[in-house]
Amino acid sequence: MKRSLILLSALMIGATLHGCGGGDDKTKTEKAAAAAAPADSCTGHPLEKALPPMATLYGYPYLSRKCGYNDASVVYGKADGSQRLEISLIDTGMPAPAQDGNSDAAIAYRGAQDKLREMTHSSLTLLNSTREAALKNGTADKFGGEDYLPVIDTTRMGDPLAIVAPAKGESGVSTLTGLIKSRYVLSISSADKPNGGNAQAMRQLFVPFVEQMKLTALP
């Protein structure tokens, strides 16, 4: 009996050691796979804290994200392209790269960011005026009805947002544009047409994605 117990113990120890060895192999495999995977360019980026989660949101699976010097983008949808929504956030107030200093490249960079910020502000103002004029003059039918007019909204912080959709019966991409803290240019775009794809329907699609972002975390 004692010998049987010793043999059984030996077998159990052997099985345990074999299992540990398999675990080591698995760990090595996982580490190798992680090393081979492309690095996430948004990890540690100044805009990362404001980006929406890397998870399925409102029926849109997370696909990818990418960050550049002063911008970040996130893509949701299906890999076959049958469903797609893209989010872009640009920091127009980020200083020029340190290595450029006061060079011509730095001056051009700052000029481009100032222009983008000003154009976004002008676009939001124009879209608001377009909506008000159409409602006042009774010309909403030119867009396909009031539901197709640009929709003016705000974030929870009060930053301006505008949603635009193609006119009724026309194909194209719908967009949301926002200017956050008078510095960050936010845009969301999609060619999808939920509930007919009018501007009001696109607002119902886009705004929840905005609310998933942590825009208050931006300086």
Side-chain angles (χ1 to χ4, degrees):
M1 177 67 71
K2 184 176 181 181
R3 184 174 180 180
S4 298
L5 289 174
I6 293 173
L7 179 60
L8 179 59
S9 297
L11 290 172
M12 291 178 66
I13 292 171
T16 302
L17 291 174
H18 178 72
C20 289
D24 289 342
D25 290 342
K26 183 179 180 181
T27 300
K28 291 177 181 178
T29 301
E30 290 175 346
K31 288 182 177 179
D40 181 355
S41 58
C42 291
T43 300
H45 193 281
L47 295 175
E48 182 186 19
K49 55 182 172 287
L51 299 180
M54 293 186 291
T56 297
L57 296 177
Y58 312 108
Y60 279 72
Y62 166 80
L63 286 179
S64 64
R65 68 180 190 174
K66 182 179 180 180
C67 291
Y69 177 71
N70 71 327
D71 65 278
S73 61
V74 187
V75 180
Y76 293 88
K78 296 180 180 178
D80 63 4
S82 60
Q83 183 189 55
R84 189 175 181 86
L85 181 147
E86 299 184 28
I87 300 173
S88 170
L89 185 63
I90 301 174
D91 181 0
T92 66
M94 186 174 289
Q99 65 269 23
D100 290 341
N102 292 317
S103 65
D104 291 342
I107 295 172
Y109 166 83
R110 288 192 292 268
Q113 300 313 305
D114 290 344
K115 185 174 182 180
L116 174 60
R117 184 170 57 251
E118 292 166 3
M119 288 180 62
T120 302
H121 180 269
S122 297
S123 177
L124 290 167
T125 301
L126 178 60
L127 290 171
N128 187 31
S129 299
T130 299
R131 176 180 176 83
E132 290 181 350
L135 291 174
K136 181 179 180 180
N137 301 329
T139 56
D141 288 344
K142 293 182 179 180
F143 295 84
E146 186 174 333
D147 287 344
Y148 285 87
L149 291 175
V151 174
I152 309 303
D153 207 333
T154 62
T155 66
R156 292 176 178 176
M157 301 181 295
D159 295 308
L161 301 173
I163 298 95
V164 179
K168 187 175 183 179
E170 295 184 4
S171 60
V173 175
S174 299
T175 61
L176 175 147
T177 302
L179 186 58
I180 312 302
K181 297 186 175 182
S182 300
R183 170 175 172 173
Y184 303 89
V185 174
L186 170 66
S187 63
I188 304 179
S189 61
S190 178
D192 298 344
K193 296 187 179 301
N195 300 318
N198 60 47
Q200 292 290 345
M202 298 313 296
R203 177 191 179 279
Q204 294 175 13
L205 173 63
F206 290 153
V207 171
F209 277 88
V210 175
E211 293 175 346
Q212 285 289 328
M213 302 179 74
K214 297 180 177 61
L215 299 174
T216 55
L218 294 170

